[in-house]
Amino acid sequence: MDLSAFPYLQGNYAPIDEERDFDESQLRVEGEIPARLVGAYMRDGANVAFQPNHYVYPLDGDCMVHAVYFNNGHVHYKNRWVQTSHLKTERKFGRTIYGSVGKLMEVPQEVIDAGGEPNPVRNTANTNVLYHGGKLVAMWEGGFPHLLNNDLSTVGLYDYEGALQPGDALTAHPKVCPDTGQLISCTQRWDSPNYWVQIFDAQARHLKTIPVSFERKGIIHDLQITENYVVIFYAPAFHSLERAMKGENPFMWEPELGTKVIVIPRDGNSDNMVFETDAFFSWHFCNGFERDGKIIVDYVWINSIPFTQAQGTGVEKQPRRMHRMTLDPSTMSVNDEEFSDVFCEFSRVDERRMGKDYRYGFAASSNRDWGDAHGYNCTGRFDFKTGETTLWEYGPEANAGEPVYVPNPESELEEDGWVMCFVYNPDEGAFLSIINAGDFASGPVAKVHIPGGVANGFHANWMNGLTLQLT
């Protein structure tokens, strides 16, 4: 493949071309692995298998999952492609067949006649990987999730025992309620502007659907839960499949419409609240909770839509900042304040505090300017009690991924857990970084060095209790 025309396929954005398995005799461990952990750190990401027709931002690459398994101080690494129907079709024909969400391509009739995937919209499965209700799934917000075995082998598309209907697209950003174990998710459809909150029980069985009507289909990437509500941002950002099929720019930003904050009761029995504010965009929430009758959400603010069809615009490098928004239902007012001026993205919390008041947020962060393709050379800790932001820098040219909080099985305190993320540093290669959440200034307590590299990717999670012995 000649990837030289695409900045976001250079450096550590370049794809990994092989599947690998390394036991602890092949992994160099620096420092000391927390001895009591049993589970796996897994991260999803875009990893193109064939020369793309269009690649402005890493939204379209085929999915590869990287995993480091922990078992009482022992570690094992493996990575696997998710065997989507689109990837299998391209491998069968040995060439690129499907375009990007920014520039779709018509599927050749010969491919359809030969039994290839007919949908021109690639189900990449590349955005998130989640373990809930005993199910391990790779997720993308434009289609069904893919069910995986614990060893990352692909089972196939998963419809949650019929809860998802043909054409439903399940979000890649559900939230798990720490009190009930419920998975609060949503579906959207390419053929409808509407939005449906979907709630599954702790065993991943569907419980409830809450419909939300819109006049236009917006780009709604994430959701946030509080004790009683689901919160979403309806920014004036829109996508047109018709334009994408014609080769035109399908992304629209209409700031004069402002951004609406939709607050949806989780019980589905009350009317939604709609707050209005100036236009902004956001990929990701950090957390949210209720206090004194108000709803507080922490999220990563972006001034406008951070992607377009044209290459080299730099819109994806515009500032991203941690914000705290306070919604007052008694007055329907919105107070939105910048919490930190640090460039950050991929914000996370201790999942035991999801939807609850909390102290620490974590995010991939940067303390430097970037050239053609931006990245994050730090892990940031955002202390919502003291107002302080603490960065651990891995090196000026390093790339650090989404930080995931891993709880200490012997403590309920946020500061006693660990924060894990994949890092690439030119001086060290690829490694999994493990930082004590309460002692960021001391840096990693351990690094698991991974031969062959781990490309930059998207979202990660800690799969508590998941081991290679369970399939």
Side-chain angles (χ1 to χ4, degrees):
M1 289 188 290
D2 179 8
L3 305 178
S4 59
F6 308 108
Y8 284 97
L9 289 174
Q10 304 301 307
N12 207 54
Y13 284 101
I16 301 296
D17 60 4
E18 62 180 355
E19 297 180 333
R20 300 162 299 178
D21 289 83
F22 298 130
D23 62 27
E24 61 185 352
S25 69
Q26 300 163 293
L27 298 169
R28 181 171 66 88
V29 176
E30 181 181 345
E32 186 174 353
I33 298 291
R36 299 174 296 281
L37 293 180
V38 177
Y41 174 92
M42 294 186 182
R43 200 219 63 206
D44 211 337
N47 198 85
V48 297
F50 291 91
Q51 176 86 24
N53 74 313
H54 177 255
Y55 205 90
V56 174
Y57 200 58
L59 299 173
D60 299 296
D62 305 287
C63 175
M64 181 173 280
V65 178
H66 297 262
V68 178
Y69 299 83
F70 293 76
N71 196 339
N72 294 309
H74 301 284
V75 289
H76 188 110
Y77 164 87
K78 67 168 55 214
N79 68 313
R80 291 293 184 272
W81 298 94
V82 173
Q83 299 296 328
T84 69
S85 60
H86 291 85
L87 176 59
K88 289 192 289 186
T89 298
E90 290 188 330
R91 283 182 165 167
K92 177 179 178 180
F93 284 85
R95 70 177 195 268
T96 301
I97 293 171
Y98 307 98
S100 74
V101 292
K103 189 178 289 187
L104 294 173
M105 300 195 308
E106 187 173 345
V107 182
Q109 191 60 46
E110 63 174 301
V111 172
I112 298 173
D113 292 343
E117 173 56 57
N119 190 339
V121 181
R122 184 192 301 265
N123 184 331
T124 60
N126 71 14
T127 310
N128 203 356
V129 58
L130 177 75
Y131 186 54
H132 174 262
K135 304 290 192 300
L136 180 65
V137 289
M139 314 177 84
W140 172 67
E141 65 193 55
F144 282 17
H146 283 73
L147 186 65
L148 308 179
N149 290 313
N150 287 16
D151 64 0
L152 304 185
S153 57
T154 304
V155 177
L157 291 173
Y158 185 57
D159 66 1
Y160 281 87
E161 309 300 331
L164 302 181
Q165 299 301 306
D168 285 348
L170 190 74
T171 184
H173 281 292
K175 297 295 187 289
V176 177
C177 175
D179 295 328
T180 65
Q182 290 179 352
L183 184 76
I184 293 88
S185 186
C186 75
T187 50
Q188 299 178 80
R189 297 179 61 89
W190 291 103
D191 60 4
S192 171
N194 297 328
Y195 181 99
W196 294 267
V197 175
Q198 306 287 0
I199 300 179
F200 301 84
D201 70 12
Q203 287 72 48
R205 297 173 300 204
H206 187 257
L207 291 176
K208 183 186 302 182
T209 300
I210 305 172
V212 182
S213 297
F214 291 106
E215 292 184 0
R216 295 175 68 184
K217 178 179 170 59
I219 299 174
I220 305 174
H221 186 68
D222 198 359
L223 62 85
Q224 180 58 52
I225 64 170
T226 67
E227 181 182 0
N228 296 295
Y229 300 105
V230 177
V231 180
I232 59 175
F233 292 147
Y234 183 69
F238 309 99
H239 178 272
S240 168
L241 278 178
E242 292 76 15
R243 289 189 183 186
M245 289 299 296
K246 294 177 182 178
E248 300 172 358
N249 182 15
F251 303 110
M252 293 161 279
W253 177 250
E254 302 175 13
E256 67 277 6
L257 298 178
T259 291
K260 294 180 173 62
V261 183
I262 317 296
V263 177
I264 307 158
R266 282 172 57 176
D267 62 12
N269 295 327
S270 305
D271 292 337
N272 299 336
M273 293 182 284
V274 180
F275 296 80
E276 298 191 12
T277 187
D278 293 338
F280 69 90
F281 188 84
S282 178
W283 280 124
H284 303 117
F285 289 97
C286 185
N287 200 3
F289 57 94
E290 298 166 41
R291 179 196 293 158
D292 300 328
K294 297 179 181 179
I295 302 163
I296 298 168
V297 288
D298 299 321
Y299 71 99
V300 178
W301 172 95
I302 308 173
N303 182 63
S304 63
I305 189 171
F307 47 91
T308 186
Q309 186 191 66
Q311 194 162 289
T313 66
V315 296
E316 79 284 356
K317 293 184 283 189
Q318 63 183 290
R320 303 165 186 234
R321 301 287 188 258
M322 186 71 75
H323 272 225
R324 169 159 284 191
M325 177 181 288
T326 302
L327 307 172
D328 188 344
S330 67
T331 62
M332 296 304 294
S333 63
V334 179
N335 182 51
D336 189 37
E337 297 181 345
E338 181 180 280
F339 178 81
S340 171
D341 64 359
V342 169
F343 187 102
C344 68
E345 192 52 278
F346 301 118
S347 46
R348 299 298 298 269
V349 296
D350 177 351
E351 297 293 322
R352 299 171 302 179
R353 265 68 173 180
M354 178 57 62
K356 302 173 181 288
D357 200 352
Y358 70 116
R359 179 173 183 178
Y360 292 130
F362 307 94
S365 304
S366 184
N367 62 3
R368 52 156 290 196
D369 294 328
W370 293 78
D372 289 340
H374 82 74
Y376 309 91
N377 65 319
C378 305
T379 298
R381 185 184 69 182
F382 301 81
D383 190 330
F384 290 99
K385 298 301 183 186
T386 67
E388 296 177 330
T389 299
T390 304
L391 300 182
W392 177 262
E393 181 189 326
Y394 299 97
E397 302 299 322
N399 273 275
E402 178 175 60
V404 171
Y405 180 92
V406 179
N408 185 329
E410 298 181 351
S411 174
E412 292 296 317
L413 300 177
E414 293 175 75
E415 57 266 34
D416 287 345
W418 298 274
V419 178
M420 296 187 187
C421 70
F422 283 127
V423 178
Y424 171 75
N425 188 348
D427 295 333
E428 299 177 274
F431 58 90
L432 180 68
S433 167
I434 306 174
I435 296 179
N436 186 304
D439 185 15
F440 248 59
S442 297
V445 297
K447 298 178 180 179
V448 181
H449 292 269
I450 301 168
V454 177
N456 294 346
F458 295 134
H459 295 290
N461 277 296
W462 172 251
M463 319 304 183
N464 196 49
L466 185 150
T467 70
L468 280 172
Q469 285 68 46
L470 301 174
T471 58

